[in-house]
Amino acid sequence: MPESTSSRQPVRPFIYATTTSRSLMFSRNEIQSRMWTRNPYALNLEYTRLMMGFLLLNPEPRRIAMVGLGGGSLAKFCYHYLPSSRIDVFEINPHVIAMRDSFLVPDDDARFAVLLGDGADLIQRYRDEYDAVLVDGYDVNGLPEQLTTPAFYEGCLRALAPDGLMVCNFHASNANYLRCLGRIKQRFAGSAVEVSDTSQAHRIVFACKGDLLKRRTGLPTRKPEAMSAELWSRIAPGIWPLLD
């Protein structure tokens, strides 16, 4: 989901609409976020469903942070299906935030807030707060450098509650992926797991503050209470590798 770097002017995205969907795009070559108009809470893109894998280990998170709003797919999904969770979304691009109504992103309220600012800076304000930090802050040039630094991953680690999970989306074409993965493993003491989507276009990295991932095999799992068994069955299969 889009997030521009602070060193350049934010790029204004545009909307591509069909009879069944609405997409947020920075260029005609790549979809940043897509919404089914008849089911705006659905996770349309596979990698977003994979990112929700943290629910296997914590089906009722108390508080969630998201770096990158985009079309709001993850934000809407969590707001709708995790009604007891408080959600903070960090988005650096004001043009993206201005489109929130077009993608039916909920208004700010007591448990949901979209904050304008650089997620790399905003995450540093928090200590032991979040059960999950979801990092998906892409702009027209890809993943901004400030969201891949040791300082950023250290900030995410400090912001997590005990046994909290950082979940990062990487495009398979990212030339710095192995370097980023090495930094994550170093900061999280090796407590990290990779899961790829079926097209191998995305790598999702789960990193844990604590040893929950290391002792995940055999852990009891359950779906979030507000999520139907049918919906859970469409999300869970791709993320079972977390429990291998």
Side-chain angles (χ1 to χ4, degrees), residues 8-239:
R8 61 175 68 94
Q9 290 296 315
V11 175
R12 190 183 299 273
F14 62 92
I15 295 172
Y16 175 76
T18 70
T19 56
T20 59
S21 69
R22 189 175 300 159
S23 300
L24 185 144
M25 306 176 72
F26 281 119
S27 73
R28 298 192 179 278
N29 298 323
E30 188 172 5
I31 293 174
Q32 297 287 346
S33 183
R34 184 169 59 199
M35 177 185 76
W36 294 126
T37 50
R38 290 188 177 181
N39 188 3
Y41 297 108
L43 293 177
N44 185 286
L45 302 177
E46 183 187 3
Y47 88 87
T48 60
R49 298 192 291 274
L50 291 179
M51 291 187 72
M52 296 307 299
F54 75 91
L55 293 176
L56 282 172
L57 303 176
N58 185 351
E60 303 293 342
R62 178 185 57 86
R63 194 170 182 189
I64 301 169
M66 300 182 182
V67 180
L69 173 65
S73 297
L74 290 169
K76 288 184 297 184
F77 184 87
C78 290
Y79 184 81
H80 187 69
Y81 292 109
L82 302 173
S84 63
S85 299
R86 180 177 171 186
I87 303 161
D88 298 326
V89 184
F90 309 141
E91 174 57 61
I92 198 172
N93 190 333
H95 304 307
V96 169
I97 296 177
M99 289 185 170
R100 63 188 292 175
D101 290 346
S102 297
F103 289 91
L104 305 182
V105 174
D107 294 333
D108 289 6
D109 59 23
R111 66 180 190 90
F112 183 84
V114 177
L115 307 175
L116 175 61
D118 190 336
D121 295 331
L122 292 175
I123 199 67
Q124 305 294 338
R125 300 179 182 180
Y126 300 90
R127 297 291 184 274
D128 305 313
E129 284 287 342
Y130 295 109
D131 293 315
V133 174
L134 310 183
V135 183
D136 191 24
Y138 282 76
D139 67 9
V140 67
N141 297 300
L143 185 62
E145 182 179 359
Q146 73 265 28
L147 300 184
T148 67
T149 66
F152 173 67
Y153 295 133
E154 180 68 28
C156 290
L157 177 65
R158 289 196 301 264
L160 287 170
D163 283 336
L165 289 158
M166 178 183 74
V167 186
C168 298
N169 171 41
F170 293 95
H171 287 168
S173 61
N174 189 327
N176 293 317
Y177 171 68
L178 291 179
R179 180 181 300 175
C180 294
L181 180 62
R183 289 171 176 172
I184 292 171
K185 288 183 175 180
Q186 181 180 18
R187 296 291 159 175
F188 285 80
S191 185
V193 175
E194 305 168 71
V195 180
S196 296
D197 63 0
T198 54
S199 68
Q200 303 294 309
H202 294 265
R203 296 186 179 98
I204 309 302
V205 177
F206 298 82
C208 184
K209 184 177 184 176
D211 65 353
L212 185 63
L213 274 176
K214 294 179 179 178
R215 55 184 171 86
R216 66 191 182 276
T217 302
L219 286 175
T221 62
R222 60 184 176 88
K223 69 176 181 64
E225 185 175 344
M227 192 177 297
S228 69
E230 180 184 3
L231 175 59
W232 183 242
S233 71
R234 294 199 299 269
I235 294 173
I239 50 185

